[in-house]
Amino acid sequence: MEGDKLYSKQTDDFPVLQTERLLLREIQNEDALDILEYLSDEDVMKYYGMEPFQSLEDVLEEVAWYKSIRMKQTGIRWGITLKENGKVLGSCGFLNWDKRHYRTEIGYELHKNYWGKGLASEALRAVVQYGFEHMRLERIQALIEPPNLSSQSLLEKHGFLCEGLLRSYEFTCGKMDDLYMYSLIKKDFNDRRAQTND
């Protein structure tokens, strides 16, 4: 789906993105039980930079953070839902949005039961397209732990390039982590789309 066919807006101007199988929408407090299901999973949280969530209070704090970055215009996070049932099975979105430099970071996670079905790829494609077409972004970057091969593969599939290793870049879960810096710039995104449309 291209351009304005990709999304519509809710009453509060939150953009709703649609793909073949997914509806990406604003996350609400009412989604907390669905979210706890995957954010409490050690496998899902392995490279998240946080310990697995223990309670609904943990989830509600995360939802409040989603709302705060939207309000401050430093990011936006979509809940990934299946069109068929509306259940939130992950999230994808932008953080550390720097309007002055037209760049942002992208992050995502998905319920383990839905791994390997192409859903993360479908969500990522829609979010990246929205970022370049409607947020005036010139660069989208991602910070990935070296052992997280599946995330590296996902990004590379969508044209992201690994620019290098940031050594001891982040302190999370009691340790210093090295992180790969991946990026996709608007020119490369447009060139890839032009090639696929030829």
Side-chain angles (χ1 to χ4, degrees):
M1 304 175 79
E2 295 182 11
D4 289 335
K5 299 175 186 175
L6 175 72
Y7 82 99
S8 57
K9 287 191 175 183
Q10 293 177 183
T11 54
D12 63 353
D13 279 346
F14 192 96
V16 177
L17 311 184
Q18 295 191 54
T19 69
E20 182 181 350
R21 295 175 291 175
L22 302 175
L23 188 73
L24 280 67
R25 61 163 174 84
E26 185 173 16
I27 291 174
Q28 306 290 349
N29 288 344
E30 292 76 18
D31 300 312
L33 280 174
D34 289 347
I35 296 168
L36 183 61
E37 208 174 290
Y38 60 82
L39 289 186
S40 61
D41 188 314
E42 288 186 5
D43 291 333
V44 172
M45 299 298 282
K46 189 172 184 180
Y47 304 116
Y48 198 78
M50 297 171 70
E51 298 289 350
F53 285 24
Q54 302 294 322
S55 67
L56 284 176
E57 286 72 26
D58 291 341
V59 175
L60 292 174
E61 285 181 17
E62 184 79 351
V63 174
W65 178 72
Y66 297 157
K67 292 184 182 301
S68 75
I69 63 171
R70 170 75 173 154
M71 186 178 303
K72 295 173 187 173
Q73 296 192 341
T74 60
I76 181 171
R77 196 82 172 193
W78 285 269
I80 302 171
T81 73
L82 288 172
K83 284 181 176 178
E84 61 196 47
N85 60 24
K87 179 184 174 74
V88 177
L89 46 97
S91 77
C92 182
F94 301 125
L95 64 156
N96 297 326
W97 180 17
D98 187 332
K99 290 186 179 181
R100 178 183 173 191
H101 297 291
Y102 303 94
R103 69 170 179 249
T104 192
E105 292 175 28
I106 194 165
Y108 43 82
E109 79 286 327
L110 191 67
H111 194 300
K112 187 167 60 179
N113 292 352
Y114 298 91
W115 290 0
K117 302 178 187 298
L119 296 177
S121 184
E122 204 169 306
L124 183 74
R125 182 184 304 112
V127 169
V128 165
Q129 181 179 335
Y130 181 85
F132 284 130
E133 293 184 353
H134 299 284
M135 293 172 63
R136 300 180 63 212
L137 295 173
E138 291 292 332
R139 174 185 168 94
I140 297 172
Q141 57 195 39
L143 298 171
I144 307 295
E145 291 185 33
N148 192 353
L149 300 179
S150 61
S151 192
Q152 292 170 47
S153 177
L154 173 65
L155 292 170
E156 289 165 5
K157 176 181 176 181
H158 289 276
F160 282 74
L161 299 178
C162 183
E163 297 181 332
L165 181 69
L166 304 172
R167 298 182 301 160
S168 293
Y169 188 76
E170 195 171 74
F171 184 78
T172 56
C173 302
K175 67 187 191 317
M176 294 301 302
D177 288 326
D178 296 339
L179 295 174
Y180 281 128
M181 170 65 82
Y182 276 82
S183 74
L184 178 63
I185 62 173
K186 188 173 185 177
K187 179 184 182 304
D188 293 348
F189 171 78
N190 288 336
D191 287 349
R192 280 173 60 89
R193 288 189 68 193
Q195 290 171 4
T196 57
N197 290 334
D198 283 347

